[in-house]
Amino acid sequence: DGGITQSPKYLFRKEGQNVTLSCEQNLNHDAMYWYRQDPGQGLRLIYYSQIVNDFQKGDIAEGYSVSREKKESFPLTVTSAQKNPTAFYLCASGSGTSGRFGTDTQYFGPGTRLTVL
Amino acid sequence: GENVEQHPSTLSVQEGDSAVIKCTYSDSASNYFPWYKQELGKRPQLIIDIRSNVGEKKDQRIAVTLNKTAKHFSLHITETQPEDSAVYFCAAGLSGNTPLVFGKGTRLSVIA
Protein backbone atom coordinates (compact mmCIF):
# COMPACT_ATOMS: atom_id res chain seq x y z
CA ASP A 1 0.00 0.00 0.00
CA GLY A 2 2.84 2.41 0.73
CA GLY A 3 3.76 2.38 -2.98
CA ILE A 4 0.59 4.19 -4.01
CA THR A 5 0.30 7.88 -3.26
CA GLN A 6 -2.52 10.32 -3.83
CA SER A 7 -2.53 14.08 -3.55
CA PRO A 8 -3.87 16.25 -2.24
CA LYS A 9 -5.40 14.65 0.83
CA TYR A 10 -8.14 17.29 0.94
CA LEU A 11 -9.40 19.36 -1.97
CA PHE A 12 -12.01 22.06 -2.18
CA ARG A 13 -13.66 22.96 -5.46
CA LYS A 14 -15.77 25.94 -6.36
CA GLU A 15 -18.74 25.65 -8.65
CA GLY A 16 -17.74 25.48 -12.32
CA GLN A 17 -14.13 24.65 -11.57
CA ASN A 18 -12.14 21.70 -12.88
CA VAL A 19 -9.79 19.99 -10.45
CA THR A 20 -7.22 17.24 -10.92
CA LEU A 21 -6.47 14.49 -8.43
CA SER A 22 -3.06 12.88 -8.57
CA CYS A 23 -2.31 9.15 -8.26
CA GLU A 24 1.21 7.74 -8.47
CA GLN A 25 2.51 4.21 -7.90
CA ASN A 26 6.02 2.77 -7.79
CA LEU A 27 4.96 -0.89 -7.67
CA ASN A 28 5.42 -1.53 -11.38
CA HIS A 29 1.72 -2.29 -11.65
CA ASP A 30 0.16 -2.34 -15.11
CA ALA A 31 -3.42 -1.66 -14.05
CA MET A 32 -4.70 1.42 -12.27
CA TYR A 33 -8.21 2.30 -11.18
CA TRP A 34 -10.27 5.21 -9.84
CA TYR A 35 -13.15 4.55 -7.48
CA ARG A 36 -15.54 6.94 -5.81
CA GLN A 37 -16.87 6.33 -2.31
CA ASP A 38 -19.96 8.04 -0.92
CA PRO A 39 -21.20 7.65 2.67
CA GLY A 40 -23.08 4.40 3.21
CA GLN A 41 -22.16 3.10 -0.20
CA GLY A 42 -19.53 0.82 -1.55
CA LEU A 43 -16.88 1.86 -4.00
CA ARG A 44 -17.96 2.61 -7.54
CA LEU A 45 -15.67 2.48 -10.55
CA ILE A 46 -15.04 5.72 -12.45
CA TYR A 47 -12.26 4.79 -14.90
CA TYR A 48 -9.56 2.19 -15.23
CA SER A 49 -6.46 1.60 -17.28
CA GLN A 50 -4.73 -1.71 -17.88
CA ILE A 51 -1.91 -0.38 -20.02
CA VAL A 52 -0.22 2.91 -20.80
CA ASN A 53 -2.08 5.14 -23.26
CA ASP A 54 -5.30 3.19 -22.87
CA PHE A 55 -8.20 3.54 -20.44
CA GLN A 56 -11.82 2.48 -20.14
CA LYS A 57 -14.94 4.05 -18.64
CA GLY A 58 -16.38 2.57 -15.52
CA ASP A 59 -19.92 2.72 -14.20
CA ILE A 60 -19.93 6.43 -13.31
CA ALA A 61 -17.54 8.09 -15.80
CA GLU A 62 -19.75 11.06 -16.67
CA GLY A 63 -18.15 14.34 -15.61
CA TYR A 64 -14.68 12.81 -15.16
CA SER A 65 -11.65 12.43 -17.41
CA VAL A 66 -8.32 10.61 -17.07
CA SER A 67 -5.02 10.13 -18.83
CA ARG A 68 -2.36 7.42 -18.68
CA GLU A 69 0.78 8.78 -20.28
CA LYS A 70 3.12 6.99 -17.86
CA LYS A 71 2.87 3.62 -16.18
CA GLU A 72 3.34 5.22 -12.77
CA SER A 73 0.68 7.91 -13.06
CA PHE A 74 -3.09 8.00 -13.53
CA PRO A 75 -4.52 11.46 -12.80
CA LEU A 76 -8.26 12.05 -12.55
CA THR A 77 -9.87 15.34 -13.53
CA VAL A 78 -13.22 16.20 -12.04
CA THR A 79 -14.86 18.56 -14.49
CA SER A 80 -17.60 21.12 -13.98
CA ALA A 81 -19.95 18.67 -15.71
CA GLN A 82 -19.86 16.45 -12.59
CA LYS A 83 -22.79 17.86 -10.67
CA ASN A 84 -22.25 16.16 -7.35
CA PRO A 85 -18.51 15.61 -6.94
CA THR A 86 -18.28 15.72 -3.14
CA ALA A 87 -16.91 12.29 -2.22
CA PHE A 88 -13.86 10.29 -1.17
CA TYR A 89 -11.80 9.35 -4.23
CA LEU A 90 -9.66 6.24 -4.12
CA CYS A 91 -7.02 5.21 -6.60
CA ALA A 92 -5.91 1.59 -6.80
CA SER A 93 -3.33 -0.36 -8.72
CA GLY A 94 -2.82 -4.03 -9.35
CA SER A 95 -0.81 -6.86 -10.96
CA GLY A 96 2.84 -7.06 -11.79
CA THR A 97 4.13 -8.06 -8.36
CA SER A 98 4.04 -11.16 -6.23
CA GLY A 99 3.36 -11.13 -2.55
CA ARG A 100 1.21 -12.37 0.26
CA PHE A 101 -1.97 -12.07 -1.75
CA GLY A 102 -0.67 -13.38 -5.06
CA THR A 103 0.26 -11.71 -8.27
CA ASP A 104 -3.05 -10.13 -9.23
CA THR A 105 -4.50 -8.07 -6.41
CA GLN A 106 -5.59 -4.47 -6.07
CA TYR A 107 -4.15 -2.13 -3.49
CA PHE A 108 -5.50 1.29 -2.63
CA GLY A 109 -3.92 4.67 -2.17
CA PRO A 110 -4.77 6.83 0.87
CA GLY A 111 -7.53 8.73 -0.94
CA THR A 112 -8.47 12.34 -1.68
CA ARG A 113 -11.49 13.89 -0.02
CA LEU A 114 -13.10 16.37 -2.40
CA THR A 115 -15.61 18.94 -1.19
CA VAL A 116 -17.56 21.37 -3.31
CA LEU A 117 -17.92 24.80 -1.78
CA GLY B 1 -23.01 -6.66 -15.36
CA GLU B 2 -21.94 -7.89 -11.97
CA ASN B 3 -23.97 -7.03 -8.89
CA VAL B 4 -22.75 -7.71 -5.34
CA GLU B 5 -25.09 -7.74 -2.37
CA GLN B 6 -23.67 -7.66 1.15
CA HIS B 7 -25.34 -8.21 4.51
CA PRO B 8 -25.77 -7.34 7.23
CA SER B 9 -25.14 -3.61 6.88
CA THR B 10 -24.30 -3.37 10.59
CA LEU B 11 -23.12 -6.02 13.01
CA SER B 12 -22.35 -5.80 16.72
CA VAL B 13 -20.63 -8.61 18.57
CA GLN B 14 -19.12 -9.09 21.99
CA GLU B 15 -15.37 -9.29 22.19
CA GLY B 16 -14.26 -12.87 21.74
CA ASP B 17 -17.32 -13.89 19.74
CA SER B 18 -17.31 -14.68 16.02
CA ALA B 19 -18.58 -12.43 13.24
CA VAL B 20 -19.88 -13.54 9.85
CA ILE B 21 -20.51 -11.31 6.85
CA LYS B 22 -22.13 -12.68 3.71
CA CYS B 23 -22.07 -11.60 0.08
CA THR B 24 -23.80 -12.79 -3.04
CA TYR B 25 -22.84 -12.03 -6.62
CA SER B 26 -24.64 -12.33 -9.92
CA ASP B 27 -22.03 -12.95 -12.62
CA SER B 28 -20.96 -16.58 -12.84
CA ALA B 29 -17.84 -15.46 -14.74
CA SER B 30 -16.41 -13.81 -11.60
CA ASN B 31 -13.42 -15.71 -10.25
CA TYR B 32 -11.83 -13.37 -7.74
CA PHE B 33 -13.32 -12.36 -4.38
CA PRO B 34 -11.36 -10.05 -2.07
CA TRP B 35 -12.34 -8.63 1.29
CA TYR B 36 -11.25 -5.19 2.43
CA LYS B 37 -11.26 -3.57 5.87
CA GLN B 38 -11.67 0.18 6.08
CA GLU B 39 -11.17 2.22 9.22
CA LEU B 40 -12.69 5.67 9.48
CA GLY B 41 -11.10 8.09 7.03
CA LYS B 42 -8.55 5.54 5.85
CA ARG B 43 -7.99 3.54 2.70
CA PRO B 44 -9.48 0.06 2.29
CA GLN B 45 -6.94 -2.59 3.29
CA LEU B 46 -7.01 -6.02 1.71
CA ILE B 47 -7.35 -8.62 4.46
CA ILE B 48 -7.99 -11.82 2.55
CA ASP B 49 -9.01 -12.96 -0.90
CA ILE B 50 -10.13 -16.16 -2.55
CA ARG B 51 -10.14 -17.41 -6.08
CA SER B 52 -12.66 -19.72 -7.63
CA ASN B 53 -10.38 -22.74 -7.64
CA VAL B 54 -10.65 -23.09 -3.86
CA GLY B 55 -13.63 -23.27 -1.52
CA GLU B 56 -12.06 -21.98 1.66
CA LYS B 57 -9.05 -19.99 2.77
CA LYS B 58 -7.86 -19.13 6.25
CA ASP B 59 -5.38 -16.61 7.64
CA GLN B 60 -5.09 -16.63 11.42
CA ARG B 61 -8.43 -15.40 12.80
CA ILE B 62 -10.04 -14.67 9.46
CA ALA B 63 -11.38 -17.09 6.89
CA VAL B 64 -13.35 -16.87 3.70
CA THR B 65 -15.60 -19.48 2.15
CA LEU B 66 -16.84 -19.57 -1.42
CA ASN B 67 -19.77 -21.44 -2.94
CA LYS B 68 -19.61 -20.90 -6.69
CA THR B 69 -22.73 -22.91 -7.38
CA ALA B 70 -24.82 -20.70 -5.12
CA LYS B 71 -22.79 -17.60 -5.98
CA HIS B 72 -22.08 -16.58 -2.43
CA PHE B 73 -19.03 -16.07 -0.26
CA SER B 74 -18.58 -15.24 3.39
CA LEU B 75 -16.06 -13.68 5.74
CA HIS B 76 -15.59 -15.27 9.15
CA ILE B 77 -13.72 -13.53 11.96
CA THR B 78 -13.13 -15.57 15.11
CA GLU B 79 -12.14 -14.35 18.56
CA THR B 80 -13.04 -10.79 17.68
CA GLN B 81 -11.12 -7.92 19.23
CA PRO B 82 -11.97 -4.21 19.54
CA GLU B 83 -9.44 -3.43 16.81
CA ASP B 84 -11.53 -5.49 14.40
CA SER B 85 -14.14 -2.70 14.52
CA ALA B 86 -14.31 -1.20 11.03
CA VAL B 87 -16.29 -1.29 7.80
CA TYR B 88 -15.74 -4.44 5.77
CA PHE B 89 -16.32 -4.63 2.01
CA CYS B 90 -16.60 -7.65 -0.19
CA ALA B 91 -15.94 -7.43 -3.92
CA ALA B 92 -16.06 -9.60 -7.02
CA GLY B 93 -14.25 -9.53 -10.33
CA LEU B 94 -13.06 -11.62 -13.21
CA SER B 95 -9.58 -11.53 -11.72
CA GLY B 96 -7.39 -9.30 -9.61
CA ASN B 97 -6.33 -7.58 -12.81
CA THR B 98 -9.80 -6.40 -13.71
CA PRO B 99 -12.18 -3.87 -12.13
CA LEU B 100 -13.94 -4.96 -8.96
CA VAL B 101 -17.60 -4.56 -8.06
CA PHE B 102 -18.05 -3.85 -4.37
CA GLY B 103 -20.76 -4.56 -1.87
CA LYS B 104 -22.07 -1.63 0.17
CA GLY B 105 -20.16 -2.59 3.28
CA THR B 106 -20.78 -3.93 6.78
CA ARG B 107 -20.02 -1.82 9.82
CA LEU B 108 -18.68 -4.19 12.46
CA SER B 109 -18.58 -3.08 16.08
CA VAL B 110 -16.79 -5.25 18.62
CA ILE B 111 -17.94 -4.42 22.12
CA ALA B 112 -15.40 -4.90 24.89
Side-chain angles (χ1 to χ4, degrees):
Chain A
D1 288 349
I4 306 172
T5 58
Q6 291 185 241
S7 63
K9 186 173 181 180
Y10 299 98
L11 185 58
F12 299 91
R13 194 195 89 167
K14 295 180 180 179
E15 294 283 346
Q17 190 178 42
N18 291 358
V19 292
T20 298
L21 284 60
S22 169
C23 178
E24 304 276 335
Q25 54 97 2
N26 62 3
L27 301 170
N28 198 35
H29 284 170
D30 293 309
M32 297 186 75
Y33 310 84
W34 276 105
Y35 293 92
R36 168 178 171 148
Q37 185 175 30
D38 294 282
Q41 297 203 31
L43 286 67
R44 293 181 291 167
L45 182 69
I46 305 173
Y47 268 98
Y48 68 101
S49 168
Q50 295 185 310
I51 195 169
V52 175
N53 292 322
D54 187 51
F55 48 83
Q56 306 295 329
K57 291 182 178 180
D59 299 320
I60 56 167
E62 185 175 352
Y64 299 97
S65 66
V66 294
S67 63
R68 186 84 187 278
E69 298 176 1
K70 299 186 300 182
K71 189 175 185 178
E72 301 80 16
S73 179
F74 191 40
L76 173 74
T77 296
V78 184
T79 75
S80 57
Q82 171 49 240
K83 298 306 178 187
N84 185 23
T86 295
F88 189 41
Y89 290 86
L90 289 157
C91 176
S93 69
S95 82
T97 62
S98 61
R100 178 182 176 198
F101 295 107
T103 59
D104 59 337
T105 300
Q106 291 183 31
Y107 298 95
F108 284 89
T112 292
R113 194 165 298 278
L114 173 62
T115 303
V116 174
L117 299 175
Chain B
E2 177 66 275
N3 182 52
V4 176
E5 299 284 342
Q6 181 173 349
H7 58 94
S9 57
T10 60
L11 178 61
S12 292
V13 299
Q14 293 289 329
E15 182 178 0
D17 288 349
S18 295
V20 180
I21 303 170
K22 298 181 179 182
C23 288
T24 60
Y25 62 99
S26 61
D27 190 349
S28 57
S30 290
N31 287 307
Y32 177 64
F33 308 93
W35 286 88
Y36 289 86
K37 174 184 179 182
Q38 187 178 33
E39 297 176 349
L40 189 62
K42 302 282 185 66
R43 76 184 84 188
Q45 298 268 12
L46 180 67
I47 57 171
I48 196 166
D49 60 1
I50 191 167
R51 289 167 174 80
S52 59
N53 57 342
V54 299
E56 185 173 356
K57 184 176 177 181
K58 189 174 181 180
D59 185 358
Q60 299 180 353
R61 295 187 298 108
I62 59 174
V64 58
T65 59
L66 171 65
N67 183 327
K68 283 223 72 177
T69 302
K71 297 197 194 70
H72 67 72
F73 56 111
S74 301
L75 177 71
H76 303 253
I77 306 174
T78 59
E79 300 172 17
T80 54
Q81 302 167 2
E83 50 265 39
D84 294 329
S85 296
V87 179
Y88 291 81
F89 291 97
C90 64
L94 296 178
S95 75
N97 292 334
T98 60
L100 297 173
V101 176
F102 285 81
K104 292 190 175 182
T106 296
R107 182 174 300 279
L108 173 64
S109 299
V110 180
I111 303 165

